[in-house]
Amino acid sequence: MNVAEIFGSNVFSESVMKERLPKKVFDEVMHVMKNGGQISMASADVVANAMKDWAVEKGATHYSHWFQPLTGITAEKHDAFITVPENGKTLLQLSGKQLIMGEPDASSFPSGGLRATHYARGYTAWDITSPAFVKEQAAGVILCIPTVFVSYTGEALDQKTPLLRSMEAINEQAMRIVRLFGNTSATKVIASVGPEQEYFLVDRQKYLKRRDLIYTGRTLFGAPAPKGQELEDQYFGSIRERVGAYMKDLNTELWKMGITATAQHNEVAPAQHEMAPIYTTANIAVDNNQLAMETMKRVATRHGLVCLLHEKPYAGVNGSGKHNNWSIGTDTGENLIDPGDDPSSNLRFLLILACIMKAVDTHADLLRQSSANVGNDHRLGADEAPPAIISIFLGDQLEDIVEQIVKHGTADAAKKGGTLDTGVSFVPLLNKDATDRNRTSPFAFTGNKFEFRMVGSSDSIASANTTLHAVVAEAFCDAADILEKSTNFDEDVKKLIAEYMTKHQRILFKGNGYSEEWIEEAARRGLPNLRYMVDTVPALTTDKAVKLFEKFNIYTRAELESRAEIMYATYSKSINIEAQTMIHMAGKHYVPTAVTYTTKLAQSIAAVSSVGVDSSVQQELLNDCTVLLKRMKEALKKLIADVEAVTKIQDVCEMAHAFHDIIVPDMVHLRTPVDELELFVDKKEWPVPTYGDLMFEV
Ligand code: ADP
Ligand code: MG
């Protein structure tokens, strides 16, 4: 396989445009891509036609406005290129208008009250900054045009619109900081993101036997397998052939669509893996990640596998997240998060760092909210992922500098990394990083970027980055407001750095984020600990949040309120599906299995006793099973009754809380006896594949 040849072959990239567009039109597109603004209708016609010709050469039959509604996944509606036939012949066509705008009948996407169904108009509009591509699937080859999705009155109904707005905000505010330090050549600051995507693979035939996996993406029942991840033999382990074949195929598909899949390895849990691309501009990274998740699922079916993106498919083993690596840099190639050789004297870096500390501390609740989804409730705060408390890990070098600045107002030379001697004579001395890693931190500095490790594996990274851009833009804006007026810049900037670092030092934490002590310590420091998704929703609509997002035109109050409503509704719907699935599985699978098994035991007891042999073991088994069966039946009854009551609640917030407070514990009560029963029922009788079958037979 020649990677260079296939890479990007399905992307309508800059070089394809250069080749296929008249120079004038190409220049116009480039100008709008870089500086914003509108492309003329005449040029749009030319671009559309070139795009269509290119796609048709690739075998495309349809085009689609590809967008990201608030369902967390992408949406597409295919329209064939064909026009009304004349003399029995059709022309293949894509007009500028069709390229620029679409009007999906979108009344059934979540809008959180922004649109009553009778005002159903929603529009998709071309995002010229993200390249069009063709997608090869069973439905044919489809030309996908990345778009934003807004309501008739211009409110964002998607993930993309606020993200693009937030990128403009951080660009504008970061440029003010860049200018303050005398840089006159840069014209733009761009946010970059590299998301590491974790996932599980499971055999498709086994998957199809589990209603919980099918309906909810996770197992709702299941006793632990005899072997888990305790030997730590899976992480970075050699990749099994079947999984390897999948990865190879996946890479090829991703590369064709211009996605730079590079890293691949086994993760901590059995059958868990990771894929990471090379970082790119934030909105492209978001598109690419959505596309990657979709492709991961699609390719899996070809290998008789299913790709599980749920944050916690199996209880008791490592869950999946997404590490959102983030930095900002100028269009002249300078990374603003790079401390350089001596951070202690790099005032621009220190100011940016101080602003980020301020931003994360001030809006810890919002950052936590931005990474909340239903599945992440199982993952955050368990002993594998960061807790639900936001804190920053800077590493020894920078922490030392911050400490000095807080104490003395300035810092002396920074600690250096030094060299590492392995003690093996022929191994070269290695240059060490100045800081170690901290896997337990939700927001960790990793040399020249921050790694926001909280995002869930199935979630879009759009909202996390939108929030990140907003909070940092605000801190930059506050700092620039002060410093632009300064008459003694050097002194004032140092004062401001010291002030911010002192005030927001509490957000720094380098210890074990998984520990009980940290939870107590964080409470003493007054840091929010928003353990569950339902607890994070109010952060969206506080005065602080509304002021922040409205100031930078990222969300209006109405958009924030609609998102809060969608979060509550999504939570309730998801838990309801899980509860209904459990009711189904318990009623149709587990209770009948327990009944059959107890009957068999009873028959065995009768048979054994009739020949005068001791049947006490069977009797004990029968007793235990009967007790579990009874617990199961009672828990099932309670779950059914509670779900019925909870779904009658009118208020969305109240309903979501009731699902969390009443139904989730009910589900645990039903699960426990089933899992206990699994341990002693004959494997042949057990109605579904076990954890061992699912995780170790891939
Ligand atoms: P690490 O091992 O430090 O996590 P990797 O090199 O594995 O780093 O990178 C993880 C992800 O971070 C990759 O997607 C990578 O492209 C991305 N990344 C690297 N540098 C940056 C940066 N400056 N800004 C944003 N993302 C970055
Ligand atoms: Mg990493």
Side-chain angles (χ1 to χ4, degrees):
M1 180 187 343
N2 184 336
V3 181
E5 227 161 70
I6 62 165
F7 187 84
S9 57
N10 284 351
V11 184
F12 192 67
S13 61
E14 197 177 312
S15 59
V16 176
M17 284 196 277
K18 191 162 190 178
E19 209 179 282
R20 290 177 175 250
L21 296 177
K23 181 160 182 334
K24 203 174 135 276
V25 177
F26 175 75
D27 289 344
E28 191 181 333
V29 171
M30 286 298 123
H31 183 82
V32 175
M33 268 171 77
K34 289 210 175 74
N35 308 300
Q38 305 286 323
I39 175 173
S40 70
M41 197 40 102
S43 299
D45 277 329
V46 176
V47 177
N49 195 49
M51 212 184 250
K52 182 258 308 172
D53 285 345
W54 170 82
V56 168
E57 282 166 33
K58 302 250 160 227
T61 51
H62 294 69
Y63 76 95
S64 168
H65 275 199
W66 186 76
F67 59 104
Q68 300 169 25
L70 298 171
T71 51
I73 52 172
T74 57
E76 53 192 82
K77 169 182 160 247
H78 302 165
D79 284 296
F81 291 122
I82 55 177
T83 48
V84 181
E86 268 179 52
N87 304 324
K89 291 245 179 261
T90 184
L91 281 176
L92 299 187
Q93 202 184 52
L94 180 69
S95 69
K97 187 163 177 288
Q98 286 168 314
L99 166 67
I100 288 180
M101 201 174 105
E103 197 207 328
D105 174 16
S107 53
S108 14
F109 289 106
S111 76
L114 273 182
R115 285 171 321 167
T117 25
H118 50 287
Y119 300 124
R121 273 183 200 277
Y123 294 101
T124 50
W126 182 29
D127 169 14
I128 197 170
T129 60
S130 185
F133 55 93
V134 297
K135 208 159 81 174
E136 296 165 357
Q137 53 190 37
V141 179
I142 314 290
L143 167 65
C144 293
I145 301 163
T147 56
V148 298
F149 180 42
V150 294
S151 75
Y152 187 65
T153 41
E155 279 122 350
L157 295 173
D158 67 348
Q159 310 263 26
K160 187 78 174 276
T161 312
L163 176 72
L164 292 172
R165 293 172 183 163
S166 78
M167 289 175 69
E168 292 194 8
I170 198 157
N171 167 31
E172 207 172 296
Q173 301 309 323
M175 274 309 297
R176 293 173 69 191
I177 303 289
V178 168
R179 290 278 186 260
L180 277 172
F181 286 87
N183 180 327
T184 50
S185 55
T187 62
K188 201 173 173 182
V189 168
I190 303 152
S192 293
V193 170
E196 300 164 57
Q197 173 76 50
E198 295 176 341
Y199 61 97
F200 278 85
L201 290 175
V202 61
D203 181 90
R204 188 170 160 78
Q205 291 312 316
K206 297 196 177 77
Y207 164 94
L208 289 174
K209 295 200 177 99
R210 301 253 347 187
R211 291 283 137 186
D212 46 3
L213 286 179
I214 294 175
Y215 296 141
T216 73
R218 74 176 180 109
T219 52
L220 299 168
F221 298 96
K227 178 178 191 291
Q229 59 198 47
E230 59 277 61
L231 292 179
E232 296 169 341
D233 54 352
Q234 153 79 10
Y235 190 59
F236 283 15
S238 69
I239 296 168
R240 269 161 294 167
E241 285 298 278
R242 186 174 183 196
V243 174
Y246 165 77
M247 287 179 171
K248 183 174 169 207
D249 209 3
L250 173 65
N251 286 335
T252 311
E253 290 300 315
L254 294 177
W255 290 335
K256 278 200 247 171
M257 292 187 290
I259 299 173
T260 51
T262 45
Q264 61 192 29
H265 60 79
N266 286 352
E267 258 301 328
V268 173
Q272 190 189 24
H273 312 280
E274 179 181 303
M275 184 283 288
I278 300 173
Y279 67 98
T280 179
T281 313
N283 65 319
I284 296 179
V286 169
D287 282 3
N288 283 356
N289 182 248
Q290 292 297 123
L291 201 52
M293 289 195 284
E294 190 184 311
T295 309
M296 288 167 123
K297 290 189 172 168
R298 188 156 43 81
V299 171
T301 51
R302 290 190 211 152
H303 293 263
L305 296 165
V306 172
C307 174
L308 302 176
L309 292 172
H310 194 282
E311 285 71 19
K312 193 80 173 177
Y314 306 108
V317 298
N318 202 62
S320 298
K322 199 133 52 186
H323 298 166
N324 188 85
N325 294 273
W326 175 87
S327 67
I328 43 177
T330 63
D331 57 348
T332 46
E334 256 185 289
N335 179 355
L336 299 177
I337 311 285
D338 191 340
D341 288 338
D342 187 2
S344 60
S345 62
N346 183 344
L347 284 181
R348 188 182 71 187
F349 172 75
L350 291 176
L351 178 64
I352 288 173
L353 177 63
C355 285
I356 292 176
M357 284 172 62
K358 175 178 179 216
V360 174
D361 187 27
T362 309
H363 295 291
D365 57 341
L366 268 181
L367 283 166
R368 167 67 185 96
Q369 180 282 325
S370 76
S371 61
N373 73 357
V374 185
N376 236 359
D377 273 12
H378 300 280
R379 181 179 156 259
L380 299 179
D383 49 331
E384 58 188 52
I389 306 161
I390 296 275
S391 64
I392 302 179
F393 172 77
L394 288 181
D396 290 343
Q397 188 190 44
L398 293 186
E399 287 225 355
D400 176 53
I401 291 173
V402 172
E403 251 166 56
Q404 289 187 49
I405 291 175
V406 169
K407 259 198 215 126
H408 315 296
T410 53
D412 297 337
K415 284 186 180 174
K416 293 270 187 245
T419 52
L420 182 71
D421 186 350
T422 59
V424 180
S425 66
F426 53 83
V427 172
L429 287 179
L430 304 173
N431 279 323
K432 257 198 332 192
D433 290 312
T435 61
D436 197 3
R437 298 278 182 131
N438 186 328
R439 291 180 61 90
T440 69
S441 175
F443 199 78
F445 179 74
T446 46
N448 61 1
K449 63 186 194 284
F450 279 94
E451 190 169 346
F452 188 25
R453 301 168 58 94
M454 234 181 202
V455 188
S457 48
S458 70
D459 210 0
S460 159
I461 51 173
S463 111
N465 287 299
T466 303
T467 302
L468 197 49
H469 297 156
V471 301
V472 175
E474 183 188 56
F476 285 166
C477 178
D478 292 349
D481 284 347
I482 294 167
L483 294 173
E484 280 167 358
K485 292 198 206 93
S486 162
T487 48
N488 188 346
F489 183 72
D490 230 45
E491 193 172 304
D492 288 345
V493 76
K494 283 181 187 155
K495 253 192 352 223
L496 198 64
I497 292 169
E499 182 192 318
Y500 285 180
M501 287 185 171
T502 308
K503 194 156 169 218
H504 300 286
Q505 203 187 3
R506 67 168 185 172
I507 198 71
L508 301 184
F509 179 65
K510 62 179 169 196
N512 178 2
Y514 299 172
S515 68
E516 210 39 56
E517 294 84 75
W518 170 229
I519 294 175
E520 288 158 21
E521 167 65 20
R524 272 196 296 280
R525 293 188 193 181
L527 300 177
N529 181 1
L530 304 173
R531 184 72 182 78
Y532 299 106
M533 177 173 167
V534 287
D535 306 328
T536 71
V537 184
L540 272 176
T541 49
T542 59
D543 289 343
K544 171 172 79 87
V546 174
K547 192 168 144 248
L548 163 75
F549 287 123
E550 288 199 332
K551 178 169 182 179
F552 297 105
N553 300 317
I554 295 171
Y555 294 115
T556 61
R557 181 184 283 276
E559 286 170 339
L560 288 166
E561 282 168 356
S562 81
R563 270 154 220 257
E565 191 175 319
I566 290 171
M567 280 188 89
Y568 283 132
T570 303
Y571 185 81
S572 296
K573 287 176 194 164
S574 309
I575 302 297
N576 187 39
I577 293 170
E578 293 193 346
Q580 299 295 349
T581 306
M582 288 188 89
I583 292 168
H584 171 93
M585 289 176 75
K588 303 274 177 207
H589 297 315
Y590 299 122
V591 171
T593 300
V595 170
T596 314
Y597 191 60
T598 44
T599 312
K600 269 194 171 174
L601 283 170
Q603 285 163 352
S604 154
I605 292 165
V608 170
S609 313
S610 73
V611 291
V613 177
D614 174 24
S615 65
S616 59
V617 173
Q618 286 92 327
Q619 283 188 25
E620 200 183 323
L621 270 176
L622 178 58
N623 259 338
D624 292 350
C625 278
T626 313
V627 170
L628 288 174
L629 178 58
K630 192 149 181 262
R631 273 173 57 199
M632 232 152 91
K633 191 72 183 96
E634 275 161 11
L636 179 60
K637 238 168 55 197
K638 177 158 164 42
L639 179 60
I640 293 172
D642 285 347
V643 167
E644 205 189 312
V646 167
T647 44
K648 290 211 178 84
I649 297 174
Q650 290 298 317
D651 181 74
V652 278
C653 166
E654 218 178 288
M655 186 197 276
H657 277 279
F659 266 107
H660 180 262
D661 298 343
I662 301 168
I663 305 303
V664 170
D666 277 358
M667 287 163 56
V668 175
H669 285 132
L670 176 55
R671 176 178 183 145
T672 315
V674 175
D675 291 359
E676 281 177 36
L677 188 74
E678 183 184 335
L679 292 174
F680 49 104
V681 170
D682 187 348
K683 173 120 167 69
K684 286 201 297 289
E685 309 277 337
W686 199 245
V688 297
T690 63
Y691 269 25
D693 301 336
L694 294 169
M695 284 190 280
F696 290 93
E697 295 179 16
V698 177

